[in-house]
Amino acid sequence: MRTQVAIIGAGPAGLLLGQLLHRRGIDNIILERQTADYVLGRIRAGVIEQGTIDLLDEAGVGTRMHDEGLVHEGVLICIDGVRHRIPLKELTGKTLMVYGQTEITKDLMDGRAAAAAPTVYSAHDVAVHDISGNAPRVTYRADGKSHEIVCDYIAGCDGFHGISRKSVPAGAITTYERVYPLGWLGILSDTPPVTDESMYVRHPRGFALCSMRSPTRSRYYVQCSLAEDIDAWPDERFWEEFKPRLDEESRERLIIGPSIEKSIAPLRSFVAEPMRFGRLFLAGDAAHIVPPTGAKGLNLAASDVWYLSRAFIEHYAEHSDAALDHYSARALARVWKAERFSWWITTLLHAISENPFDLKIQLAELDHLFQSKAAAMAFAENYVGLPY
Ligand SMILES: Cc1cc2nc3c(=O)[nH]c(=O)nc-3n(C[C@H](O)[C@H](O)[C@H](O)COP(=O)(O)OP(=O)(O)OC[C@H]3O[C@@H](n4cnc5c(N)ncnc54)[C@H](O)[C@@H]3O)c2cc1C
């Protein structure tokens, strides 16, 4: 087979890139290790920035998001039972949209199917070859047969555990990493959310997050140890741990129901530099990870795709490689700012350190955030998403 851009991974980064390229007449094939149902079943992100919304519109898949997504104009931070609100729209003129990653993935898959663009699910042993030359190749196995795609470029959109980043020769890549000594125990439940806007909770028992996917579906998290076993957390134990961390109003509004999904996610910051090796370009979680506190992972995957899609369009339409050559530097400039914000909000709101000095610094920083318009503005500017 021959295509212009071979895309590895049908997560949000791969599907969005495929759709944007297809609409500009650039051929692409997506190879995905899992089945489509498996990809759709992964419960992950839910808060999207204006830049991501605009890209989904450009990809022609934004209609359902605008119909069903919830627009948020502010965010709540609850400290030891007292709520504070950061008025995002008032401070920045921008809002956020609550719309689940599974829904975005479904809309992108439907858009791709309608365009009859090729996606190979259950593609095994995907491997990249000759990325330093002018005719890179991707090989894989599907339906018991071996296949090869010859292409102009490869987009590695295969997430943190994918093969793209690992295929780069040792020494050509520098990685930066911080692993936090905690995880998030999350529960999805078909119950009305306790708040109308997302609420971050800092409490002596540990961090909690009250978020939602719709007016009838809640997504709640509590900070947990990395050693926790999910089987040791029946629903009752989760609610017993979650409820005391809330303020009085939320406790009264809390409706407890059975979980429809429950999982533990470790918290990690990670960046691989550069994001290009010859004709292989990395995008999304394949190149970087943020702790979920800042709700930036999916949005960073989208901004990478914005830079990369523009670069491919410029290459094919104008025969210029300038944007491809600048892709890594441009994407990383935004990635590192989101890494900084995600690290900062994580250390600000979690019980991480047992040193009383660190605790006092957290409280002083929060007090400053609530008292100072400049501090609130800096928070809001990052939270709604920095410009591309
Ligand atoms: C619990 C949790 C909560 C989160 N909450 C938020 C949030 O609120 N806001 C936010 O912005 N982000 C959030 N994130 C992060 C967000 O989900 C990711 O950043 C996002 O999925 C990245 O998209 P991606 O396409 O780069 O990677 P992925 O979604 O990981 O997609 C990569 C795809 O590549 C496929 N693949 C892997 N290896 C291979 C291979 N060898 N061959 C072929 N295919 C392969 C995978 O199966 C997968 O489908 C959260 C993540 C988790 C885990």
Side-chain angles (χ1 to χ4, degrees):
M1 278 184 281
R2 152 119 207 118
T3 192
Q4 289 174 304
V5 181
I7 300 174
I8 306 175
L15 287 168
L16 183 56
L17 179 65
Q19 194 68 0
L20 292 170
L21 295 185
H22 180 81
R23 286 171 77 89
R24 299 301 287 262
I26 300 170
D27 280 350
N28 61 86
I29 299 176
I30 299 183
L31 300 175
E32 165 61 49
R33 183 175 54 178
Q34 306 288 357
T35 63
D37 283 346
Y38 182 95
V39 173
L40 276 173
R42 284 192 302 231
I43 306 295
R44 289 182 165 182
V47 178
I48 54 176
E49 300 170 354
Q50 188 59 50
T52 308
I53 296 169
D54 293 344
L55 267 184
L56 290 166
D57 283 335
E58 186 186 324
V61 297
T63 310
R64 201 164 65 95
M65 169 184 68
H66 289 291
D67 286 349
E68 297 177 15
L70 308 175
V71 176
H72 281 193
E73 297 186 356
V75 63
L76 302 167
I77 302 181
C78 178
I79 308 297
D80 299 342
V82 180
R83 275 187 197 192
H84 306 262
R85 182 172 185 270
I86 311 275
L88 302 170
K89 187 171 181 196
E90 191 183 308
L91 290 166
T92 64
K94 293 186 189 164
T95 56
L96 289 164
M97 176 86 83
V98 170
Y99 189 63
Q101 179 167 334
T102 42
E103 308 307 319
I104 293 176
T105 307
K106 182 174 185 317
D107 295 344
L108 283 164
M109 282 180 175
D110 289 350
R112 193 162 176 88
T119 309
V120 181
Y121 287 97
S122 304
H124 301 292
D125 300 336
V126 174
V128 303
H129 310 272
D130 303 332
I131 53 176
S132 311
N134 287 337
R137 292 174 297 121
V138 183
T139 54
Y140 65 98
R141 273 191 320 105
D143 302 324
K145 292 185 202 135
S146 299
H147 302 266
E148 179 180 86
I149 302 174
V150 180
C151 53
D152 298 337
Y153 296 101
I154 301 169
C157 302
D158 49 353
F160 184 65
H161 299 288
I163 52 97
S164 297
R165 190 182 68 250
K166 292 172 192 155
S167 307
V168 173
I173 189 168
T174 306
T175 58
Y176 302 84
E177 185 166 33
R178 170 156 300 191
V179 178
Y180 303 84
L182 50 97
W184 278 17
L185 172 60
I187 190 168
L188 190 69
S189 152
D190 272 333
T191 52
V194 288
T195 46
D196 298 328
E197 294 175 333
S198 303
M199 183 166 79
Y200 291 87
V201 181
R202 186 189 176 286
H203 191 273
R205 294 176 79 100
F207 170 86
L209 175 62
C210 309
S211 61
M212 64 287 292
R213 292 294 178 267
S214 75
T216 57
R217 181 167 284 186
S218 302
R219 181 69 164 158
Y220 299 133
Y221 297 93
V222 291
Q223 171 181 347
C224 68
S225 138
L226 278 177
E228 286 297 345
D229 175 4
I230 195 77
D231 293 334
W233 283 85
D235 289 357
E236 307 73 52
R237 187 175 169 205
F238 177 88
W239 296 117
E240 274 166 27
E241 193 50 60
F242 178 69
K243 193 170 177 179
R245 300 184 189 196
L246 304 181
D247 62 317
E248 209 178 318
E249 191 182 333
S250 315
R251 275 201 300 271
E252 276 169 18
R253 225 174 118 173
L254 179 67
I255 295 174
I256 287 171
S259 65
I260 50 175
E261 195 267 355
K262 200 169 7 173
S263 53
I264 293 178
L267 268 59
R268 179 197 301 269
S269 299
F270 174 89
V271 181
E273 285 193 23
M275 288 169 62
R276 177 198 183 161
F277 310 90
R279 292 198 167 223
L280 170 66
F281 292 82
L282 301 180
D285 279 17
H288 41 73
I289 295 282
V290 284
T293 329
K296 293 281 166 250
L298 171 61
N299 292 301
L300 274 185
S303 61
D304 288 352
V305 165
W306 188 86
Y307 294 114
L308 190 54
S309 59
R310 263 63 191 167
F312 282 137
I313 291 164
E314 193 175 299
H315 170 82
Y316 286 108
E318 298 169 24
H319 309 290
S320 162
D321 285 347
L324 284 173
D325 292 342
H326 290 115
Y327 165 70
S328 176
R330 283 185 182 149
L332 282 167
R334 192 170 188 279
V335 165
W336 272 112
K337 291 185 200 89
E339 289 282 347
R340 185 209 67 81
F341 179 71
S342 301
W343 158 82
W344 174 78
I345 190 174
T346 300
T347 50
L348 183 68
L349 293 172
H350 288 79
I352 297 182
S353 167
E354 291 186 357
N355 184 336
F357 179 86
D358 294 340
L359 178 70
K360 288 286 188 188
I361 292 292
Q362 273 185 332
L363 293 173
E365 201 149 355
L366 283 162
D367 200 33
H368 182 56
L369 178 62
F370 303 138
Q371 301 297 327
S372 156
K373 190 166 180 189
M377 179 76 89
F379 176 97
E381 189 181 50
N382 282 279
Y383 196 68
V384 298
L386 294 172
Y388 292 179

